[in-house]
Amino acid sequence: MEITRTTSLGEILDNYKNAEEILSGFGMHCFSCPMSRMETIEEASVVHGIDPEFMVKKLKEELKK
């Protein structure tokens, strides 16, 4: 699965076992909320004050582990 700025958090959570732990490190904790699962990386990063490109890069690095 290719992770980009437009990938939804739900897609990441559904495809990677360690995704919740990694996203929590960015300050994201509402994974049971249906709306948060529909957010893209870009949308979520803006809400949490994180550069979307940085978030994509870190997700790609951490999800490979």
Side-chain angles (χ1 to χ4, degrees), residues 51-62:
D51 175 60
E53 290 303 321
F54 173 77
M55 190 174 195
V56 167
K57 179 183 175 204
K58 285 298 181 184
L59 280 166
K60 287 180 177 181
E61 289 172 2
E62 293 298 318

Side-chain angles (χ1 to χ4, degrees), residues 29-57:
H29 304 286
C30 188
F31 304 116
S32 61
C33 174
M35 291 306 295
S36 70
R37 292 182 57 84
M38 293 171 50
E39 282 185 320
T40 65
I41 290 174
E42 185 165 28
E43 293 166 334
S45 66
V46 169
V47 170
H48 291 277
I50 302 163
D51 175 60
E53 290 303 321
F54 173 77
M55 190 174 195
V56 167
K57 179 183 175 204

